[in-house]
Amino acid sequence: MDTYLRVATFNLKSSLIAFGERRWKYRRELIFRMFRELDADVAGVQELTPSMRRDFVSNLAGWRLFGVGRGGALFDEHADIAVKEGLNAKLLKTFWLTRRPDRSSRLVTPRSPLSWIFPRICTVAEITKNGRRIRVFNTHLDLMSDAARYIELRIICRQISAYQEHDPLPTLLCGDFNAKPDSRSIKELADNGCGYENVRLYNLSEGIGGTYHFYRGGEGSRSIDYIFASKDFQLSDFEVIRSSYDGLYPSDHYPLIASLRLTD
């Protein structure tokens, strides 16, 4: 029996950087409404602060969040993986995009100055649907430097490679990569798995148009959000959700949703 999976990625926009009608307390019901309408099985979310996380858990019945924050008190954001109730799921780990992924003390170089304030992490979880185990990675890469993003993706690919060597599984990688499709980091990942032979992930987001719109709507100004999948998956449908509610947008990013099929 084939297994069908709906996977999404959505940058929710931090509650710490917003003013007026863009403040979290005005957007959260829109976020929850859009999340319900996405009807995904699994979703990577970015810029999830602790207060947003509490609201998410309290207001979205039927969903579980897996992930650990990056620390730093006020800036303790999560790159969590949301999983619909009814699917077996477990958190494997949240790791740092540093020279030593088990700790945050040594940041990779070259770095942008903001990276010292906003260090980067990646969360990995395993879900099971119809008896099929699937490994899911979710991340939010450096804002300023494509050189840093390239190194961060190499760290992620190294982690994927290690998992695949030990226990090969259908694999998904999603998130806000802060990189355009023609950037070195995206091309390296799509072309050769950043140098790892057993990392072959295909860009499902190619040619979809802008995903970042800064609350302006329209087609979006930049395509920086992605869903990558291993060849185990067949793509049935892919969509950028550009909905607004009474002219208001839940976030400055559009969510992406892919419908995938795993054949036996």
Side-chain angles (χ1 to χ4, degrees):
M1 179 178 67
D2 291 348
T3 296
Y4 294 88
L5 187 77
R6 283 174 62 82
V7 57
T9 184
F10 194 8
N11 184 318
L12 305 180
K13 183 62 178 178
S14 170
S15 60
L16 301 175
I17 310 172
F19 304 94
E21 65 185 17
R22 298 171 184 172
R23 295 172 64 185
W24 172 246
K25 69 178 182 178
Y26 299 123
R27 295 189 296 111
R28 58 189 172 191
E29 290 303 324
L30 304 182
I31 289 280
F32 302 148
R33 179 177 173 181
M34 181 164 279
F35 221 89
R36 294 185 189 101
E37 292 175 359
L38 285 174
D39 192 31
D41 294 299
V42 59
V45 295
Q46 303 87 41
E47 295 197 29
L48 184 70
T49 65
S51 63
M52 294 167 69
R53 198 176 197 271
R54 289 191 294 270
D55 286 344
F56 194 105
V57 171
S58 299
N59 289 274
L60 274 175
W63 286 87
R64 292 173 293 160
L65 288 171
F66 296 86
V68 177
R70 65 189 180 191
L74 186 63
F75 301 111
D76 184 23
E77 287 184 4
H78 289 238
D80 279 1
I81 295 171
V83 182
K84 186 180 288 186
E85 291 284 358
L87 272 66
N88 292 327
K90 62 180 179 180
L91 173 67
L92 298 180
K93 64 180 176 180
T94 295
F95 59 91
W96 294 87
L97 303 185
T98 69
R99 290 191 182 95
R100 297 187 63 179
D102 60 328
R103 63 178 63 183
S104 63
S105 57
R106 304 252 330 197
L107 299 177
V108 297
T109 55
R111 303 288 302 194
S112 66
L114 287 178
S115 296
W116 295 96
I117 304 172
F118 305 116
R120 302 297 171 170
I121 57 176
C122 181
T123 297
V124 54
E126 183 183 306
I127 66 170
T128 304
K129 186 174 185 181
N130 297 338
R132 298 295 303 270
R133 295 164 56 222
I134 300 160
R135 199 172 288 128
V136 184
F137 291 75
N138 176 51
T139 193
H140 186 190
L141 300 184
D142 190 86
L143 175 65
M144 303 295 289
S145 166
D146 195 56
R149 291 190 288 268
Y150 173 74
I151 295 172
E152 288 165 353
L153 276 175
R154 285 188 64 86
I155 294 169
I156 293 171
C157 287
R158 187 181 306 132
Q159 293 284 319
I160 295 174
S161 179
Y163 276 110
Q164 293 296 81
E165 286 180 5
H166 174 70
D167 182 20
L169 287 179
T171 298
L172 297 164
L173 169 61
C174 62
D176 174 2
F177 289 12
N178 276 315
K180 295 180 180 180
D182 61 353
S183 65
R184 178 193 180 198
S185 52
I186 299 300
K187 285 183 174 180
E188 282 290 322
L189 175 59
D191 291 347
N192 65 6
C194 287
Y196 294 89
E197 290 186 1
N198 59 355
V199 179
R200 286 294 180 268
L201 302 179
Y202 298 89
N203 183 3
L204 305 183
S205 319
E206 193 169 0
I208 60 169
T211 58
Y212 177 74
H213 59 92
F214 194 63
Y215 299 103
R216 296 189 180 98
E219 292 298 311
S221 61
R222 287 182 290 162
S223 181
I224 59 175
D225 301 273
Y226 297 88
I227 299 174
F228 282 81
S230 61
K231 64 181 179 181
D232 310 270
F233 295 94
Q234 294 183 12
L235 179 64
S236 299
D237 187 47
F238 196 96
E239 188 177 1
V240 183
I241 308 299
R242 294 191 169 94
S243 304
S244 64
Y245 304 102
D246 296 323
L248 299 177
Y249 289 92
S251 173
D252 58 351
H253 287 244
Y254 292 125
L256 313 182
I257 181 98
S259 297
L260 304 172
R261 180 166 62 97
L262 273 172
T263 57
D264 289 335

